[in-house]
């Protein structure tokens, strides 16, 4: 790849759509697991350009969105303490907790800082040795290795005033949870290419075989997604259920061994709660015993916080692919980017944010109106 435009070529998009149309003979439901893919799909109207037999279901692939409410409240509790510098990526600051968000904590005097890397937070700890510095470590397998490396560096350099509030989750157990749900309609998955670039594809063949679903590793540009859909529909029509890599420019079957080794050293697998979904066994990481001193949850004794989701917010159903965002009664009225009820409305990868941003309010535009790609 030399230029990004190569993967937004309208003529190639038309060819892929024609191939999909000529292949599909019956209804199929595909789930994209990544929030970045969801935004590409909605922005370019890909779901509306596909034949009626192909339905795209938006999955729990937004890392901000699946961070549970109790973890957000733990972050708010820690960030409000006068001896703490709380560091986070910017998309977490508007995520609502039970009664406030990080922006409100900052407006009331809390030292909340936006950083662009966990190493920025570690540098802040070095520069402020008399204050506790906490980094909010969230996300899937893609963001876990740099967070693990930062904790490793803190221990190696002997920086005692740094800690990590951990809320890392793993994709394969989420796929397992989706497929074993009694409400599941998913017949195939578009897997997130950046996750597989780290972890490889080793966990997927068993899932594909046991649940008899194709899993196609896909990128994030329009042509990436259309090619992933084309390969997926071809497998479904043939009755196949294998793992296919449609993103070879970034993904190798073995992934990134160095990143995996760092994860194995710093983290250990644990059960994790997913916002709006509940606890999924073995679906996350926590700091291992060797690095437990750097765990902010233990350091600040916030492990006992419990919460309750707002009844008006149906983000859990959105994250499970049970409803589309505009089917929620609060969408665009009680819940907007300025007054969000859940993280799916404020995250840059949230499905509700995508529908609101690109004016997908329940109407169905023509393909020509829907897509700048074709």
């Amino acid at each position: 790849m030399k230029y990004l435009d190569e993967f937004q070529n309208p003529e190639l998009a038309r060819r892929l759509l024609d191939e999909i149309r000529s292949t599909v003979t019956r209804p199929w439901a595909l789930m994209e697991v990544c929030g970045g893919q969801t935004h590409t799909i909605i922005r370019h109207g890909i779901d509306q350009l596909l034949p009626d037999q192909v339905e795209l279901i938006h999955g729990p692939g937004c890392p901000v969105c699946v961070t549970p409410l109790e973890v957000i409240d733990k972050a708010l509790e820690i960030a409000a303490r006068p001896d703490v510098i709380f560091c986070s990526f910017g998309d977490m600051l508007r995520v609502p907790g039970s009664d406030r968000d990080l922006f409100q904590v900052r407006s009331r005097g809390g030292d909340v800082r936006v950083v662009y890397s966990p190493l920025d937070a570690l540098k802040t700890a070095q520069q402020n040795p008399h204050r506790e510095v906490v980094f909010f470590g969230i996300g899937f397998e893609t963001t876990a290795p740099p967070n693990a490396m930062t904790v490793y560096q803190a221990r190696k350099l002997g920086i005692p005033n740094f800690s990590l509030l951990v809320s890392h989750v793993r994709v394969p157990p989420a796929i397992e949870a989706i497929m074993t749900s009694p409400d599941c309609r998913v017949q195939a998955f578009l897997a997130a290419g950046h996750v597989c670039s780290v972890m490889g594809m080793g966990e997927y063949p068993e899932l594909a075989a046991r649940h008899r679903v194709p899993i196609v590793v896909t990128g994030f540009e329009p042509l990436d997604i259309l090619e992933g859909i084309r390969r997926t529909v071809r497998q479904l029509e043939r009755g196949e259920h294998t793992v296919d890599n449609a993103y070879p420019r970034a993904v190798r079957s073995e992934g990134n061994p160095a990143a995996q080794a760092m994860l194995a050293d710093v983290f250990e697998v644990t059960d994790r709660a997913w916002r709006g979904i509940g606890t999924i066994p073995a679906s996350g990481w926590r700091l291992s015993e060797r690095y437990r001193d750097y765990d902010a949850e233990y350091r600040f004794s916030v492990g006992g916080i419990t919460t309750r989701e707002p009844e008006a917010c149906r983000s859990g159903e959105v994250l499970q692919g049970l409803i589309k965002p505009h089917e929620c009664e609060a969408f665009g009225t009680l819940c907007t980017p300025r007054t969000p009820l859940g993280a799916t409305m404020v995250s840059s990868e949230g499905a509700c944010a995508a529908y609101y941003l690109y004016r997908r309010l329940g109407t169905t535009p023509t393909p020509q109106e829907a897509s700048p790609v074709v």
Side-chain angles (χ1 to χ4, degrees):
M1 180 183 71
K2 293 188 297 182
Y3 307 106
L4 196 60
D5 290 348
E6 294 174 2
F7 295 92
Q8 298 185 359
N9 184 294
E11 181 56 37
L12 292 177
R14 290 189 187 96
R15 289 188 205 171
L16 287 168
L17 284 164
D18 287 343
E19 285 197 45
I20 294 168
R21 292 188 190 103
S22 65
T23 301
V24 67
T25 64
R26 47 186 163 157
W28 300 111
L30 288 59
M31 175 176 279
E32 82 274 5
V33 181
C34 173
Q37 292 171 342
T38 300
H39 271 252
T40 296
I41 288 165
I42 302 305
R43 177 185 177 188
H44 295 283
I46 290 173
D47 57 330
Q48 295 177 333
L49 292 164
L50 292 168
D52 291 341
Q53 300 98 316
V54 180
E55 178 189 2
L56 294 181
I57 298 174
H58 315 312
C62 163
V64 174
C65 304
V66 301
T67 302
L69 185 58
E70 57 263 32
V71 174
I72 301 297
D73 280 358
K74 291 172 185 177
L76 296 168
E77 167 69 22
I78 294 170
R81 301 190 182 193
D83 60 331
V84 168
I85 300 173
F86 194 87
C87 298
S88 172
F89 293 138
D91 54 1
M92 293 302 299
L93 269 64
R94 287 292 308 282
V95 177
S98 294
D99 58 2
R100 52 186 169 164
D101 59 32
L102 285 169
F103 265 130
Q104 292 171 313
V105 170
R106 186 162 71 177
S107 71
R108 297 167 187 171
D111 195 343
V112 177
R113 305 185 188 184
V114 174
V115 295
Y116 299 95
S117 162
L119 290 173
D120 293 341
L122 187 61
K123 184 177 181 179
T124 299
Q126 288 178 299
Q127 295 170 341
N128 297 270
H130 301 298
R131 298 185 67 187
E132 291 287 336
V133 176
V134 180
F135 179 72
F136 201 177
I138 71 155
F140 291 93
E141 293 92 333
T142 45
T143 55
N147 290 343
M149 171 60 77
T150 303
V151 173
Y152 173 86
Q153 288 292 331
R155 188 173 185 272
K156 180 179 179 181
L157 297 173
I159 303 174
N161 61 320
F162 174 83
S163 59
L164 189 71
L165 181 60
V166 184
S167 187
H168 280 302
V169 288
R170 303 171 58 241
V171 169
I175 291 178
E176 173 70 23
I178 290 165
M179 290 308 303
T180 55
S181 167
D183 300 316
C184 178
R185 297 189 300 113
V186 179
Q187 296 165 292
F189 289 91
L190 301 178
H194 52 3
V195 169
C196 294
S197 70
V198 175
M199 303 304 294
M201 301 186 297
E203 292 185 85
Y204 293 110
E206 191 271 337
L207 284 169
R210 181 152 46 85
H211 295 293
R212 302 183 66 81
V213 291
I215 299 177
V216 178
V217 179
T218 310
F220 308 93
E221 295 303 315
L223 294 188
D224 288 324
I225 292 171
L226 285 171
E227 172 63 7
I229 294 170
R230 185 190 71 84
R231 295 191 188 198
T232 304
V233 169
R234 185 176 60 185
Q235 280 202 51
L236 289 167
E237 289 285 335
R238 293 176 177 177
E240 299 171 352
H241 43 82
T242 63
V243 178
D244 188 9
N245 182 10
Y247 197 37
R249 69 180 187 273
V251 173
R252 299 179 298 176
S253 60
E254 70 275 17
N256 185 326
Q260 294 167 26
M262 181 58 63
L263 290 171
D265 178 39
V266 177
F267 290 128
E268 62 187 23
V269 173
T270 186
D271 300 346
R272 274 282 173 205
W274 295 53
R275 188 167 194 171
I277 297 175
T279 298
I280 300 176
S283 66
W285 281 300
R286 64 183 177 189
L287 288 171
S288 63
E289 191 63 37
R290 184 182 178 194
Y291 295 91
R292 192 59 50 84
D293 289 344
Y294 294 91
D295 190 327
E297 184 173 333
Y298 285 89
R299 184 174 294 194
F300 294 95
S301 301
V302 292
I305 291 178
T306 58
T307 57
R308 185 177 179 181
E309 296 280 353
E311 292 183 4
C313 181
R314 299 179 69 185
S315 61
E317 294 169 84
V318 172
L319 290 167
Q320 296 175 73
L322 300 178
I323 64 170
K324 296 292 194 292
H326 62 71
E327 295 172 335
C328 173
E329 297 80 1
F331 176 80
T333 55
L334 293 176
C335 183
T336 70
R338 287 183 176 273
T339 58
L341 293 178
T344 50
M345 182 56 88
V346 293
S347 169
S348 61
E349 294 189 11
C352 296
Y355 273 61
Y356 192 94
L357 176 63
Y358 301 116
R359 310 308 294 167
R360 190 71 67 81
L361 306 179
T363 58
T364 304
T366 65
Q368 290 75 21
E369 294 171 329
S371 175
V373 174
V374 298

